[in-house]
Amino acid sequence: MTSHSSTVEPIVWTGHSLRLLDQRLLPHEVVYVECKTAEAVADAIRTMIVRGAPAIGVCAAFGIALAAGDTHDRDSTDRNVHEAASLLGGTRPTAINLAWAIDRMLRVAAATTGPLHATMVREAESMFREDIAANRRIGRFGAELLGDDTTILTHCNAGALATAGYGTALGVVRATREAGKRIAIFAGETRPYLQGARLTAWELQQDGFDVTLITDNMSGHFFARETFDAVIVGADRIAANGDTANKIGTYTLAVLAHAHDVPFYIAAPLSTIDLQCPNGAAIPIEERSGSEVTETLGWDRDGQQHRVRVAPDGIAVRHPAFDVTPARLITAIITDAGVLRAPYATSIAEAFSRSGSAD
Ligand code: MRU
């Protein structure tokens, strides 16, 4: 099963295993890793072979489906499924799509009598298809917000690579072009893990977009030159009041956008909204290794990845992988259920009751 929605296919279910495009090696090598067990899928999420909130949710669902295929005995299957759920759920803390997908799989498992494997596979496949469909809807809603000739700034990678396909923020970019409008994209490099430079730049280039890469500290300069008509980014978790966690550096861009009167849009499916989370202060923020800050990534002539130390030994380092943009800086949240505006507590609650998916 493939996404058929862009050149880039990050997640491929073969019927008995999950093939994942190894995002650690992009843009230098296009290599797929085959995961045959839930443990292998958990490892792939933990080590960033696959990343991006919706993508890791869908992968966790397939991980559970793999765990359900290990035995025919229903009691052992249930045990395997729950063990896989807790292993996969512990891989990364900020993206709520992970917990959302696991909860959904466990609920379907609990409601199923008899053999579980085929049901779990079907459910994971549905999530995969639904994610692409949601992204296409996000894209269409978002495209309506943009003019006929638009330049946007995006951050990190909220593209096909971060989802089952098509992308959220980059889904808006795709849909805008499909609507016959001209769109140019500035991609911030996204220090320290360089998702913008390595992934967004590559993904958009693959699909023939007009994409320009800048380092994160250049964004103020381009805001001052009135380069951007809008900022569009993805989200890892949106609280019930609209506060939004996304890749570190997003908040900085929201402040800049506000100062320069540029619309700041979040593009995310309803599965990224955590109704149990009242506000941004309650969102857990992943702290990653300091070595990703003290070292830069490089590749030698053979395409081998290596790291170069750029900071003195013994230096104190912090590395929060995400930050929270307060709702007041967000012009709109573009979801698969429509464009939500402030007050977000109300528009979010209404979107869930319209879609009938508040549980
Ligand atoms: O650490 P990552 O690469 O998983 O972070 C990804 C992001 O922050 C994305 O913007 C977010 O998950 C939305 S992806 C559609």
Side-chain angles (χ1 to χ4, degrees), residues 226-272:
E226 299 183 356
T227 305
F228 310 127
D229 299 299
V231 179
I232 312 178
V233 296
D236 284 82
R237 190 184 304 219
I238 301 171
N241 72 344
D243 291 351
T244 296
N246 190 49
K247 180 53 55 193
I248 193 77
T250 301
Y251 171 49
T252 316
L253 298 182
V255 173
L256 274 165
H258 187 70
H260 291 275
D261 213 13
V262 170
F264 182 89
Y265 298 119
I266 299 288
L270 289 188
S271 54
T272 302

Side-chain angles (χ1 to χ4, degrees), residues 23 48 50-56 92 95 97 135 155-159 162-163 167-169 193 195 199 233-236 245-248 250 267-269 272 286 288 321-322:
Q23 300 192 27
M48 305 282 277
V50 61
R51 30 65 53 200
I56 63 179
R92 297 195 70 193
N97 305 63
N135 293 340
H155 189 59
C156 191
N157 174 265
T163 60
T168 56
Y193 206 74
Q195 287 94 333
L199 307 178
V233 296
D236 284 82
N246 190 49
K247 180 53 55 193
I248 193 77
T250 301
T272 302
E286 176 181 1
R288 293 183 61 82
F322 301 94

Side-chain angles (χ1 to χ4, degrees), residues 101-114:
I102 292 169
D103 283 354
R104 177 166 154 178
M105 293 297 281
L106 292 182
R107 262 187 282 135
V108 172
T112 306
T113 48

Side-chain angles (χ1 to χ4, degrees), residues 72-136:
H72 293 299
D73 165 54
R74 179 62 203 255
D75 284 345
S76 322
T77 305
D78 279 336
R79 247 192 327 277
N80 290 347
V81 160
H82 279 93
E83 274 170 28
S86 108
L87 180 71
L88 289 156
T91 49
R92 297 195 70 193
T94 303
I96 191 62
N97 305 63
L98 190 62
W100 174 86
I102 292 169
D103 283 354
R104 177 166 154 178
M105 293 297 281
L106 292 182
R107 262 187 282 135
V108 172
T112 306
T113 48
L116 206 50
H117 182 52
T119 310
M120 294 283 88
V121 170
R122 265 200 308 277
E123 192 64 17
E125 287 177 328
S126 299
M127 279 191 210
F128 180 97
R129 281 191 300 268
E130 285 168 25
D131 186 55
I132 295 171
N135 293 340
R136 286 192 173 275

Side-chain angles (χ1 to χ4, degrees), residues 8 20 25 42 60 71 75 77 84 121 136 189 198 202 210 248 255 263 271 279 331 355 359:
V8 176
L20 298 175
L25 304 181
T71 165
D75 284 345
T77 305
V121 170
R136 286 192 173 275
E189 70 169 344
R198 298 191 303 107
W202 181 78
D210 175 357
I248 193 77
V255 173
S271 54
N279 54 50
T331 309
S355 77
D359 49 338

